[in-house]
């Protein structure tokens, strides 16, 4: 005989609370004491209760799913330092609510707009995360026209009706430059990310402004694509300058680690001949040789905050505010050293 599926009423009885309290706890809504929420979640776990998303969606006209469209080469996405941790943070919020994440990876050059239209079609998702903001980003108008709620990861550079979850890259980038200046470096170069990305140009602008404030001109700026191959090629171009840099700041760790390898292959010692710094503090940054000086962001916390904010919007909160996360900060390791050590 098939065992009957446990219900919310069963969970309420086990936890000694009302069905309304169970509904609040399982949907992540505020208003209950933490001890009560913990007791309800424990009871649900003991009973093996799982939400029926089909029944929930029919009763409240929701998909109980959020969407994320990533424009990346699927072959290199697994080594991306940001998105796996970001998705982990998102899932930590969605799982207790019985929600799913619908992920679409769109290869560069494919129709990204079609990806968002597919998610909006027939109410497949209740809202989306808008990542990798571009200058004058056309996706904001697209999502508005589709009536699809969204949260932007950082603030766009134009009007937006959507709340933003913000992690300020600039203090960390400025701290890297100041660190290198304090070490005696004056010939400092930058390997930037794609210029259509708002966060890439923000890091580049912070790099330039920190040097300008110190009365120093960048010895070179190479625009790349956040990939390892792009980092290697940009590094080679910088090292071929008539007066090569003594330090290079990269817009992400992947390019920095690849650039470190390119410098060593060219016969340079890091940090004796060349100091190198990255951005992200990805898992490998600590374990390459020498350990990579970098800027620590927290993509897991970014994902948690973005998921909570998007759910607030979907749940009908009238005014969902922007969220300011702690700014990225400098992590000093052995890939940077005093200039006189060279």
């Amino acid at each position: 005989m098939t065992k009957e599926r446990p219900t919310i009423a069963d969970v309420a009885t086990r936890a000694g609370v009302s069905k309304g309290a169970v509904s609040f706890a399982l949907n992540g809504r505020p208003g209950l004491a933490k001890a009560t929420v913990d007791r309800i979640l424990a009871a649900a776990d003991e009973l093996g209760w799982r939400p029926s998303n089909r029944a929930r969606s029919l009763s409240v006209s929701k998909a109980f799913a959020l969407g994320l469209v990533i424009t990346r080469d699927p072959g290199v996405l697994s080594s991306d330092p940001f998105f796996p941790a970001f998705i982990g943070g998102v899932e930590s919020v969605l799982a207790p609510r019985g929600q799913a994440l619908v992920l679409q990876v769109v290869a560069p050059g494919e129709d990204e707009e079609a990806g968002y239209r597919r998610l909006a079609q027939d109410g497949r998702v209740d809202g989306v995360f808008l990542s990798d903001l571009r200058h004058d980003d056309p996706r904001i108008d697209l999502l508005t026209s589709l009536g699809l709620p969204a949260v932007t990861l950082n603030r766009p550079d134009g009007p937006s009706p959507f709340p933003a979850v913000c992690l300020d890259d600039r203090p960390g980038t400025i701290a890297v430059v100041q660190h290198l200046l304090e070490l005696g470096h004056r010939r400092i170069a930058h390997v930037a990310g794609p210029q259509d990305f708002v966060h890439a140009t923000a890091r580049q602008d912070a790099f330039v402004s920190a040097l300008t404030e110190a009365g120093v001109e960048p010895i070179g700026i190479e625009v790349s694509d956040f990939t390892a191959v792009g980092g290697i090629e940009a590094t080679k171009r910088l090292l071929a300058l008539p007066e090569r840099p003594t330090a290079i700041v990269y817009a992400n760790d992947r390019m920095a680690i690849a650039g470190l390898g390119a410098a060593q292959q060219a016969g340079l010692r890091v940090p004796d001949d060349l100091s190198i710094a990255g951005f992200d503090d990805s898992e490998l940054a600590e374990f390459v040789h020498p350990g990579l000086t970098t800027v620590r962001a927290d993509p897991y916390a970014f994902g948690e905050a973005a998921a909570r904010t998007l759910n607030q919007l979907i749940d009908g909160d009238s005014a969902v505010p922007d969220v300011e996360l702690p700014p990225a900060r400098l992590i000093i390791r052995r890939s940077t050293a005093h200039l006189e050590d060279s």
Side-chain angles (χ1 to χ4, degrees), residues 126-214:
D126 300 315
V128 295
F129 304 101
L130 197 58
S131 66
D132 286 339
L133 290 177
R134 294 79 182 264
H135 294 287
D136 300 316
D137 202 316
R139 296 174 298 171
I140 292 173
D141 286 341
L142 171 65
L143 296 178
T144 302
S145 69
L146 292 173
L148 198 56
V151 164
T152 63
L153 307 188
N154 284 315
R155 290 188 183 88
D157 59 358
S160 170
F162 305 123
V165 177
C166 308
L167 191 154
D168 193 350
D169 294 342
R170 293 169 298 176
T173 303
I174 291 169
V176 167
V177 174
Q178 291 173 339
H179 167 64
L180 292 170
L181 290 169
E182 289 167 1
L183 293 174
H185 294 275
R186 292 299 179 269
R187 299 201 309 273
I188 306 174
H190 181 52
V191 178
Q195 297 298 282
D196 55 338
F197 285 177
V198 172
H199 67 285
T201 56
R203 292 174 195 179
Q204 180 178 324
D205 291 347
F207 169 82
V208 172
S209 65
L211 283 181
T212 301
E213 187 173 335

Side-chain angles (χ1 to χ4, degrees), residues 53-76:
N53 280 354
R54 177 176 174 80
R56 294 166 75 202
S57 62
L58 289 172
S59 65
V60 297
S61 299
K62 282 188 176 182
F64 293 96
L66 305 181
L68 174 63
V69 178
I70 302 175
T71 306
R72 289 286 191 282
D73 182 339
V76 300

